[in-house]
Amino acid sequence: MQLKDPHSTKVQIFQVSKSEEEAFDLCKQNCPSPEHCPYEGLIKYKLTDEGLKFYELTDKFSKDKVFTLKCDLYKLFRLKSERSIRAKKILGYLFDHSFENFSPQFNQKAFETAKEYVSHKAWENGGWLILHGTYGGGKTHLLSAIVREAIISFGTKAKLVNIAKVSTLGFEEAKEELRSLSDYELIALDDVGVEISQNWLIPYIFKIFDDFNQKGGIVMSTNLSIKALQDLLGNRISDRIAENAIAVEMKGTSMRQNLRNKKISWYNLKGDD
């Protein structure tokens, strides 16, 4: 049974016989969804006469006493909303790249592996994931989705960095950007390529791999083959990769080409003059 709270237009009061679990179940039955809750996650209830008898009408459970509890579903919704804001700040425009809008096509294995990496929180056990293949296959999309989901679902301290872009920064700025990565639980290194062969960059890249060999996880994308990547990084880091990483090749039609085809589809409809 539901009663309208005479003192508020925002909160309803349930009458229950015994417990707050009953009030929660009643509220859940009428819940449109946590994000559309008109009561901001507050559940209020009174005990029925039966309930009062059950509790022997003590002062704590008086007839007019209204109890309040916070909905766990609403608390989770608010928590994920706050984490989503943090993820968007970290990822910028890449925040829009999620598992939900990734098109697996020829890369179902990479897609499933990325989701498994997140669901098992593999970074907590020092797990690494390498996505390699040609340009435009969706590697950056999956890296972004991993970081996005790790932050929103688990509150993980994570960051994505484009290594090719870091290599274009000034020495001090690039050094600080790479140094700061050691503060994270999970890092995504996007577009790892020949740029890291620059002499001044190598010691800092090596330090990242050394730091994350002891804690946290690394996910990375590269257009190089695994052998070429290992040759580039040298024996020491190659040993880390062999010990910690799962490598998945991404291939097939370029996602960028698919996007281009969609964006210029109007031209195909134009016809000849």
Side-chain angles (χ1 to χ4, degrees), residues 158-176:
K159 187 173 183 177
L160 185 148
V161 173
N162 185 292
I163 294 298
K165 290 181 180 178
V166 170
S167 70
T168 67
L169 301 175
F171 175 72
E172 290 298 330
E173 187 179 358
K175 183 174 72 172
E176 179 57 28

Side-chain angles (χ1 to χ4, degrees), residues 47-94:
L47 293 172
T48 63
D49 290 340
E50 180 186 354
L52 292 170
K53 289 178 183 177
F54 180 81
Y55 287 107
E56 298 180 350
L57 199 57
T58 63
D59 290 339
K60 181 180 178 181
F61 298 103
S62 62
K63 186 172 183 178
D64 295 324
K65 184 172 180 63
V66 176
F67 299 90
T68 302
L69 64 122
K70 292 184 178 180
C71 173
D72 288 339
L73 295 178
Y74 186 79
K75 285 192 288 186
L76 180 61
F77 158 69
R78 287 299 302 268
L79 179 63
K80 286 192 172 185
S81 296
E82 291 167 4
R83 290 172 176 173
S84 181
I85 292 171
R86 178 156 62 91
K88 191 167 187 176
K89 183 177 180 181
I90 290 170
L91 290 169
Y93 75 94
L94 293 175

Side-chain angles (χ1 to χ4, degrees), residues 209-224:
F209 286 114
D210 282 340
D211 287 346
F212 279 82
N213 186 52
Q214 305 298 325
K215 64 175 183 67
I218 295 175
V219 292
M220 73 176 84
S221 72
T222 180
N223 299 314
L224 303 174

Side-chain angles (χ1 to χ4, degrees), residues 249-266:
E249 183 180 7
M250 296 186 69
K251 51 190 176 182
T253 304
S254 168
M255 288 184 68
R256 292 195 183 102
Q257 183 61 49
N258 289 339
L259 287 173
R260 170 176 165 77
N261 291 342
K262 182 177 180 180
K263 289 178 180 179
I264 66 169
S265 60
W266 60 270

Side-chain angles (χ1 to χ4, degrees), residues 23-264:
F24 177 73
D25 287 341
L26 284 170
C27 188
K28 190 165 66 171
Q29 289 172 20
N30 296 280
C31 179
S33 66
E35 58 268 35
H36 296 111
C37 176
Y39 312 113
E40 298 181 346
L42 294 179
I43 302 173
K44 290 182 177 280
Y45 67 96
K46 287 183 177 182
L47 293 172
T48 63
D49 290 340
E50 180 186 354
L52 292 170
K53 289 178 183 177
F54 180 81
Y55 287 107
E56 298 180 350
L57 199 57
T58 63
D59 290 339
K60 181 180 178 181
F61 298 103
S62 62
K63 186 172 183 178
D64 295 324
K65 184 172 180 63
V66 176
F67 299 90
T68 302
L69 64 122
K70 292 184 178 180
C71 173
D72 288 339
L73 295 178
Y74 186 79
K75 285 192 288 186
L76 180 61
F77 158 69
R78 287 299 302 268
L79 179 63
K80 286 192 172 185
S81 296
E82 291 167 4
R83 290 172 176 173
S84 181
I85 292 171
R86 178 156 62 91
K88 191 167 187 176
K89 183 177 180 181
I90 290 170
L91 290 169
Y93 75 94
L94 293 175
F95 177 79
D96 293 334
H97 294 340
S98 66
F99 287 132
E100 286 72 23
N101 61 23
F102 180 78
S103 179
Q105 293 181 302
F106 304 102
N107 292 303
Q108 186 69 34
K109 181 179 179 181
F111 177 60
E112 294 296 338
T113 303
K115 290 200 297 182
E116 287 293 307
Y117 184 89
V118 175
S119 65
H120 287 88
K121 296 191 282 185
W123 57 89
E124 292 187 348
N125 295 318
W128 298 4
L129 174 63
I130 302 173
L131 303 176
H132 63 100
T134 57
Y135 286 99
K139 298 186 297 297
T140 299
H141 188 133
L142 282 184
L143 286 196
S144 304
I146 288 171
V147 170
R148 184 185 195 274
E149 193 64 28
I151 294 173
I152 295 174
S153 293
F154 305 112
T156 304
K157 191 175 182 183
K159 187 173 183 177
L160 185 148
V161 173
N162 185 292
I163 294 298
K165 290 181 180 178
V166 170
S167 70
T168 67
L169 301 175
F171 175 72
E172 290 298 330
E173 187 179 358
K175 183 174 72 172
E176 179 57 28
E177 178 74 7
L178 295 176
R179 187 212 60 76
S180 69
L181 296 180
S182 296
D183 298 331
Y184 290 85
E185 301 170 80
L186 170 65
I187 57 171
L189 306 178
D190 190 28
D191 204 10
V192 177
V194 295
E195 294 84 358
I196 68 171
S197 63
Q198 299 180 47
N199 290 335
W200 65 269
L201 201 57
I202 289 175
Y204 302 100
I205 294 290
F206 281 2
K207 188 175 187 308
I208 291 172
F209 286 114
D210 282 340
D211 287 346
F212 279 82
N213 186 52
Q214 305 298 325
K215 64 175 183 67
I218 295 175
V219 292
M220 73 176 84
S221 72
T222 180
N223 299 314
L224 303 174
S225 67
I226 293 301
K227 184 180 185 309
L229 180 66
Q230 289 177 320
D231 290 343
L232 179 66
L233 296 174
N235 292 333
R236 186 174 65 171
I237 303 305
S238 294
D239 287 343
R240 302 280 194 273
I241 291 175
E243 179 183 350
N244 301 329
I246 295 294
V248 182
E249 183 180 7
M250 296 186 69
K251 51 190 176 182
T253 304
S254 168
M255 288 184 68
R256 292 195 183 102
Q257 183 61 49
N258 289 339
L259 287 173
R260 170 176 165 77
N261 291 342
K262 182 177 180 180
K263 289 178 180 179
I264 66 169

